[in-house]
Amino acid sequence: MAYAKQSPALKAVEERALRAAAREGLEVVEVTLQKESRGKCLCVYIDKPGGVTLDDCERYHKLLQPLLEDVDYDIMEVSSPGADRPLKTPRDVEKNLGREVEVRLFAKSRGAKMHRGRLVEMNDDRVVIETAGGETAVFERKGVALVKPYIDLDDEEALSEDEE
């Protein structure tokens, strides 16, 4: 599902989460297990067309929790990943092809660490955008810190598209 490598245990959790989400018409965007001051936190990010509600998160949490009784965690959180979440899965990339994104780099390229443009391609090797000036910018994937949708809060038309 995601570009990042996962442990076999986390992969097994993700498989259960995906099956449960499919029954509810939801998409699992990411599953993480992180150490926090309050203990091990299992985070499951879900989405659906039009976005998820608090009720969706609660219903899914109640469905998933009994399926994970054998998993070692202290807290489970189910939430929406947010509209400007980083693109992590092939599905995220597919949904954002042709849309404006921010590309943040580890080191400067073309004079900056942050670039914005229309997403043309993103795979394990490279990220390609078309800038506002019509130039094609290609970045090696290993040099890219994150790619996320660009959200212009003043653009009412773009905001209403995300609500569909």
Side-chain angles (χ1 to χ4, degrees), residues 100 110 115-118 120 129-137:
E100 196 164 4
R110 304 171 138 233
H115 298 269
R116 198 167 86 202
R118 188 178 56 79
V120 175
I129 62 171
E130 182 181 309
T131 67
E135 293 181 42
T136 299

Side-chain angles (χ1 to χ4, degrees), residues 6 18 26-27 32 35-37 53 61 73 75 80 85 89 105 125 130 134 136-137 139 141 143 161:
Q6 294 179 324
L18 287 167
L26 300 168
E27 173 187 356
T32 64
K35 278 189 175 182
E36 296 182 358
S37 60
T53 66
H61 186 284
Y73 68 90
I75 302 154
S80 165
R85 70 179 178 265
T89 68
L105 307 173
D125 300 320
E130 182 181 309
T136 299
F139 306 99
R141 185 61 193 260
E161 283 178 15

Side-chain angles (χ1 to χ4, degrees), residues 113-129:
K113 288 178 82 174
M114 198 282 289
H115 298 269
R116 198 167 86 202
R118 188 178 56 79
L119 183 63
V120 175
E121 177 185 355
M122 181 172 159
N123 57 42
D124 290 336
D125 300 320
R126 65 189 196 157
V127 175
V128 181
I129 62 171

Side-chain angles (χ1 to χ4, degrees), residues 1-5 87-91 93 122-124 141:
M1 179 176 90
Y3 286 106
K5 295 192 183 207
L87 307 185
K88 295 187 176 190
T89 68
R91 176 78 178 121
V93 173
M122 181 172 159
N123 57 42
D124 290 336
R141 185 61 193 260

Side-chain angles (χ1 to χ4, degrees), residues 24 26 46 48 52-62 78:
E24 296 294 310
L26 300 168
I46 59 172
K48 71 177 186 184
V52 294
T53 66
L54 187 56
D55 288 339
D56 293 326
C57 292
E58 182 181 4
R59 189 171 41 256
Y60 182 71
H61 186 284
K62 288 178 180 177
V78 174

